[in-house]
Each structure stands twice: as structure tokens, then as C-alpha cells.
Amino acid sequence: ELKVEQNPLFLSMQEGKNYTIYCNYSTTSDRLYWYRQDPGKSLESLFVLLSNGAVKQEGRLMASLDTKARLSTLHITAAVHDLSATYFCAVLIRGAGNMLTFGGGTRLMVKP
Amino acid sequence: DTAVSQTPKYLVTQMGNDKSIKCEQNLGHDTMYWYKQDSKKFLKIMFSYNNKELIINETVPNRFSPKSPDKAHLNLHINSLELGDSAVYFCASSLWGLAGGTQYFGPGTRLLVL
């Protein structure tokens, strides 16, 4: 059974600081996704990572994938309050209905 | 607007009742999904539906049944609702064969069983 673990589960940080969220998964995967969820809202796609060494950046967020280590990271640079949300990584294994297995989520609070 | 939509947004009902949640996507996708998010925000896949092929997460009770009248719609019917069914249910859609294959999520249906 595929397991996806994120850490930390909760992160409180000051504006302007940098931090990294980690996502480990237990079996070989075809794709890894990062989503953002604001309180009471739906999930918004941030990144999809397809291959080993893939790196994608959007604004203050940068995601990377190491398939050999089965590890993805979401790095936050110079955090701002607007980044406060819950971030999920999700792993897809094709041939299993394309169903995503989600990590437990990291709730990020950026304090002004 | 192109999107994944769900109705109703909120659903409050009594234990033992039967209820349905509707989902529609106008993104031209061929695969649709149902996810459950519990009170601890943990998200779990329930179903995947592609070209009339239903793939069920084996942990889902058979009180839950998806119904797809066409590629753009995937409804979720729940029989004999239980307290533990209270959660937020998200519908999502994607293109099966597309590299990347990002799943786009609906706004969610907040179900409360009393």
C-alpha cells in the first residue's frame, strides 16, 4: 500500500523567512503533485513533477522531486502572509485508476 | 466559467437517510473522481471513473455508489447515512492519458449527519 508522509504537519513562521516542507512516499511513482487549500475552500493545483530532478518554481514557492529518494520538497522563500494555507503533496500511480494518494497536509501560518 | 462544480454546497441530514451529491465538469476531461476529506483534513480517494470503468477504493463501504450518466457528470449516492460519513466530499476531474494529468477539484460538499 502506498503511503505518503508530509512533515511538518504544522508550521508557523515569520514573514520573510525561508522554510521547506517535505513529502516522502513509499513506492515508485509516476507523478507527484502539490496542492494548496485555503480554509473552507477547494484544492488548487500548484505543481506537477514528472521526473527525477524536476524543479518547478512559481513566485515564492519552489518544488523539487528526487525519485530515487522518493522525496519531494516544497521550499518557501521569504514567506508572506498570503502564503498561509494548507499544502498537500499527492502521489499518482498509473494503472490504479489514476487515483491520488495524499499526504496528511502541512498547515502553514505566516505571521506578519 | 470552465470548472468542476458540485451541488449542494452544504448538506445536513439525519442518520439513516439517503442522499446524493452531484458533480459536473466542463473541462472536457474523461476521468472523474470522488474524494473524502475528514475533520482532520485528511484526503482519501473513494472512486475513479473513466469511460464507464469504475475503480473503487476497497475501503469504501458499499453504501456509497457513484453514478455517471455521461463523461461530464459523476454523482455520488449515499445510502443509510452514518455519523462517520460527516466530511467534505470533493469531486475532481482530469484527462486520463495526458502527461501531467493534473486533477482539478470542485468546491466541495460539506455533509453533516446528525
Side-chain angles (χ1 to χ4, degrees):
Chain A
E1 181 188 347
L2 172 61
K3 293 188 177 178
V4 182
E5 295 184 349
Q6 280 181 245
N7 69 82
L9 295 182
F10 182 78
L11 177 56
S12 178
M13 57 192 296
Q14 295 292 129
E15 279 192 330
K17 298 293 186 182
N18 303 333
Y19 208 83
T20 300
I21 299 170
Y22 297 89
C23 174
N24 290 91
Y25 53 98
S26 60
T27 63
T28 302
S29 167
D30 297 294
R31 301 166 196 173
L32 189 138
Y33 301 83
W34 284 96
Y35 284 88
R36 168 180 172 150
Q37 186 179 34
D38 291 299
K41 302 293 185 181
S42 185
L43 285 89
E44 174 192 355
S45 174
L46 295 174
F47 302 107
V48 55
L49 303 167
L50 300 178
S51 59
N52 188 41
V55 176
K56 290 197 174 178
Q57 183 163 5
E58 180 73 32
R60 300 173 187 274
L61 299 177
M62 183 174 71
S64 66
L65 178 63
D66 180 344
T67 57
K68 293 179 182 177
R70 296 178 186 163
L71 170 69
S72 180
T73 62
L74 181 66
H75 186 73
I76 303 156
T77 301
V80 293
H81 180 67
D82 285 351
L83 288 179
S84 298
T86 300
Y87 293 86
F88 292 93
C89 65
V91 173
L92 182 144
I93 297 179
R94 297 191 72 177
N98 278 5
M99 294 188 278
L100 292 176
T101 300
F102 279 83
T106 297
R107 185 180 170 196
L108 172 65
M109 290 183 62
V110 181
K111 300 178 180 179
Chain B
D1 290 347
T2 55
V4 181
S5 59
Q6 293 178 229
T7 55
K9 191 172 182 179
Y10 299 96
L11 185 53
V12 181
T13 188
Q14 299 287 330
M15 242 183 355
N17 285 350
D18 302 339
K19 291 292 179 184
S20 291
I21 306 171
K22 295 185 177 181
C23 178
E24 176 181 0
Q25 57 91 8
N26 60 6
L27 298 167
H29 290 165
D30 56 9
T31 307
M32 297 183 73
Y33 313 83
W34 279 105
Y35 290 86
K36 178 181 179 180
Q37 186 172 43
D38 64 21
S39 58
K40 296 183 179 179
K41 304 299 183 188
F42 186 70
L43 275 154
K44 192 167 187 179
I45 181 69
M46 300 176 72
F47 304 101
S48 165
Y49 203 91
N50 170 261
N51 290 330
K52 300 186 179 181
E53 180 186 9
L54 174 65
I55 300 175
I56 303 170
N57 183 321
E58 60 186 14
T59 65
V60 176
N62 58 15
R63 297 181 295 104
F64 291 79
S65 56
K67 298 186 191 306
S68 179
D70 55 59
K71 280 199 315 185
H73 297 84
L74 182 64
N75 304 324
L76 181 64
H77 189 74
I78 315 169
N79 289 327
S80 304
L81 278 155
E82 300 178 356
L83 295 177
D85 297 333
S86 296
V88 181
Y89 292 85
F90 286 100
C91 176
S93 72
S94 73
L95 281 172
W96 181 270
L98 181 66
T102 298
Q103 294 183 18
Y104 294 86
F105 283 74
T109 295
R110 284 145 187 84
L111 171 65
L112 177 61
V113 182
L114 302 174

